[in-house]
């Protein structure tokens, strides 16, 4: 453990998000407090509809919470204008989703640097070369995304998320569409990024094996954190999720 790990990369306090659905109110997040330390890999789990994606989106400034606050490093997101928030997202946050949203008219390389180009930032060529090598895409840079396998596409998405050297990477079910072997490669890559570059990764997953790559597992149910486990094995995670199911919280 080095000292940087004590610095929060992400913090949320009393994070609450409700949605109006007709004359009903859906509470997606019901007051979540959490800190994600720099250089750590956290898995966020919980039943479908428990608020995992909402938590990621609010923590990443993609969505404004109904109440509560979120910080990236020392920056409190609710204090930022839309323009400043957009800039913060581009400069300091990387996203990896199950849907890649590539532009197939562009090459793999062009897709990786597109967010930087949009933000007007100049790519750091040495860092990009390192990222491309690290994710094993060197021979694919001139291909179109659609010519790649699912695992290769997810690695392009990770390279794109890393291109700006973000403070934190949020990944929402990044291995949900991948077969077991390909998922293992992608998870090993995320693990390596955390270990080699003190990257912070917060990843939503349904899979206890995927979660076992993380340093910590946070479990949500009904918009609240119901468990926070340091390095549980896949067996303990599966057991915990099953106990949530038995308590009738799934659905
Ligand atoms: P998870 O990612 O854990 O499956 P979500 O964060 O997507 O859960 O959703 C949490 C709850 O909020 C669910 O009940 C969902 O239906 C609701 N919800 C999410 N987004 C919206 C939205 N845009 N409008 C209305 N309800 C939403
Ligand atoms: Mg979700």
């Amino acid at each position: 453990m080095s000292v940087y790990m004590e610095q929060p990369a992400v913090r949320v306090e009393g994070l609450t998000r409700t949605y109006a659905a007709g004359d009903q109110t859906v509470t997606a997040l019901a007051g979540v407090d959490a800190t994600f330390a720099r250089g750590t890999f956290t898995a966020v789990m919980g039943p479908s509809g428990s608020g995992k994606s909402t938590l990621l989106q609010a923590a990443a400034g993609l969505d404004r919470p109904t109440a509560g606050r979120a910080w990236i490093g020392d920056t409190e997101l609710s204090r930022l204008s839309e323009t400043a928030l957009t800039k913060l997202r581009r400069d300091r946050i990387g996203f990896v989703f199950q849907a890649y949203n590539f532009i197939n008219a562009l090459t793999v390389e062009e897709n990786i640097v597109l967010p930087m180009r949009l933000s007007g930032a100049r790519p750091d060529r040495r860092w990009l070369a390192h990222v491309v090598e690290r994710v094993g895409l060197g021979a694919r840079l001139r291909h179109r995304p659609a010519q790649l396998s699912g695992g290769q596409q997810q690695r392009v998405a990770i390279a794109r998320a890393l291109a700006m050297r973000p403070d934190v990477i949020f990944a929402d079910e990044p291995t949900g569409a991948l077969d077991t072997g390909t998922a293992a490669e992608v998870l090993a890559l995320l693990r390596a990024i955390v270990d080699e570059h003190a990257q912070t990764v917060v990843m939503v997953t349904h899979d206890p094996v995927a979660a076992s790559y993380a340093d910590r597992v946070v479990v949500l149910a009904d918009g609240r954190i119901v468990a926070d486990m340091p390095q549980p094995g896949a067996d303990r995670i599966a057991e915990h999720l099953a106990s949530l199911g038995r308590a009738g919280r799934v659905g």
Side-chain angles (χ1 to χ4, degrees), residues 1 33 38 58 181 224 242 244:
M1 280 274 173
D33 299 321
R38 201 178 145 205
R224 290 191 174 81
L244 279 179

Side-chain angles (χ1 to χ4, degrees), residues 19-20 26-28 47-55:
Y19 293 103
V26 176
T27 302
S48 183
S50 58
K52 303 179 298 295
S53 295
T54 306
L55 172 62

